[in-house]
Amino acid sequence: MSDRPTSDATPPPREPEAPGEDGVLHAAPGRMRIAAAAWRNTAGWTVGASARAGSRLVRAAMSGEPPTEFFRETGAEVRDYARRLLGIGGSGDESGDAAPDSSDATSSLRDRGAELLRRSADVRFKEDTHPAYERILDDLAPDEGRILRLLALQGPQPAVDVRSGWLPISVGSQLLALGLSMIGAEAGCRHPDRVHAYLNNLNRLGLIWFSRESLEDPRRYQVLEAQPEVAEATREARRSHTVRRSIHLTPFGEDFCEMCLPIETAELEALPGSSPSSGGGGSQSPYSP
């Protein structure tokens, strides 16, 4: 009888092999594989970085390099690795990352400025209105349109400050009321309590300006100083006086009104649903110039 094993002999059972590192990563769920790979890369980089930092420190000490330079370069290496690990583009220190963005913004602004100057030199380029007019219209309240129309039709309007004391000087006196006027009533504003805010916004937009000079006709101030608002302000102090001012359209505001607002009554009447009698500014003041 032959000692050779038969072909149908069953091989002895093999002990299960411990799964290798690649097998574990392949068998784990997706998130676990990502976490395991990140841990492996981080651990490997940490060991390598520690060794490089140690040798770098020795060389720095032997060469007499300042410690600040060593820590700056080491910190830059850490930040560069963190960017690569997180998938963030770019490398170098933080100031180097911010510089391209700032440079790009400056370049974009200069390109726009160059285009602006190119158009100014182009005799064929025609600009009918100022490019800011459209944005200004979006920043105006309806009552502010009434105020602009009043100033365009009737010219500068009187305004007064009320101060304590009898002498017409600001030294040693107290301001009791600022910028009182009849603009809200004359323009027919629906919200007269907001007139100060309206005027501040129109001044912010460059459409009006507050002058320290008074108007030539003193009768306009006499009517204003007889108003209840002014009388109430003067009663706050035993001695008080008014300082006469005026409110004007700027040249920019005059052009804006001419280009954007229906100033004349005929234009306003032609608008759908308009009513000049209730729109304010339609009646001429007896003291208008």
Side-chain angles (χ1 to χ4, degrees):
M1 177 182 293
S2 175
D3 294 335
R4 298 174 56 187
T6 59
S7 60
D8 57 348
T10 302
R14 299 175 57 188
E15 295 183 359
E17 297 180 358
E21 183 180 272
D22 294 337
V24 173
L25 292 177
H26 181 73
R31 294 183 180 179
M32 294 182 63
R33 290 201 304 271
I34 294 174
W39 177 87
R40 180 183 60 187
N41 294 338
T42 304
W45 175 84
T46 301
V47 174
S50 299
R52 289 191 300 271
S55 59
R56 175 75 175 83
L57 180 60
V58 172
R59 291 197 304 271
M62 294 177 63
S63 62
E65 181 180 342
T68 54
E69 181 67 18
F70 165 75
F71 288 114
R72 187 186 67 81
E73 294 183 3
T74 305
E77 182 181 357
V78 173
R79 287 193 296 271
D80 184 63
Y81 172 76
R83 291 188 182 95
R84 294 199 306 269
L85 182 63
L86 297 175
I88 301 175
S91 62
D93 56 16
E94 295 176 353
S95 60
D97 292 340
D101 294 338
S102 176
S103 176
D104 292 345
T106 303
S107 176
S108 176
L109 291 176
R110 292 185 66 86
D111 291 343
R112 293 177 60 185
E115 175 62 18
L116 184 67
L117 294 178
R118 186 196 65 78
R119 287 193 309 233
S120 71
D122 188 355
V123 296
R124 298 169 298 176
F125 177 74
K126 184 179 180 181
E127 190 174 49
D128 296 329
T129 61
H130 195 283
Y133 286 171
E134 184 176 355
R135 295 191 297 271
I136 288 176
L137 286 170
D138 293 334
D139 287 346
L140 292 179
D143 277 348
E144 293 171 351
R146 294 171 181 256
I147 293 174
L148 290 174
R149 183 170 183 267
L150 170 71
L151 293 171
L153 280 174
Q154 301 186 14
Q157 296 297 302
V160 296
D161 298 341
V162 179
R163 304 192 69 93
S164 63
W166 284 350
L167 296 178
I169 57 176
S170 300
V171 178
S173 65
Q174 180 182 0
L175 181 63
L176 303 177
L178 175 66
L180 302 180
S181 71
M182 298 176 59
I183 288 181
E186 290 287 335
C189 293
R190 296 184 177 181
H191 303 283
D193 56 315
R194 303 177 186 174
V195 169
H196 284 291
Y198 293 154
L199 294 175
N200 287 336
N201 186 47
L202 294 174
N203 179 62
R204 176 187 69 87
L205 296 171
L207 301 176
I208 68 171
W209 64 286
F210 305 113
S211 173
R212 293 181 176 272
E213 301 296 326
S214 61
L215 302 179
E216 294 182 358
D217 190 349
R219 295 177 298 171
R220 304 186 70 182
Y221 290 99
Q222 294 170 5
V223 174
L224 174 58
E225 290 165 354
Q227 299 302 307
E229 187 178 10
V230 180
E232 181 181 355
T234 56
R235 285 195 299 266
E236 293 185 8
R238 294 180 56 186
R239 299 176 181 179
S240 62
H241 66 279
T242 58
V243 181
R244 295 178 176 181
R245 314 286 195 192
S246 55
I247 300 175
H248 303 246
L249 280 176
T250 63
F252 182 71
E254 292 175 357
D255 186 68
F256 174 83
C257 291
E258 182 180 350
M259 298 298 300
C260 302
L261 297 180
I263 301 299
E264 300 299 331
T265 303
E267 294 181 277
L268 195 59
E269 289 177 344
L271 297 177
S274 64
S275 176
S277 60
S278 62
S283 61
Q284 196 77 4
S285 170
Y287 301 109
S288 61

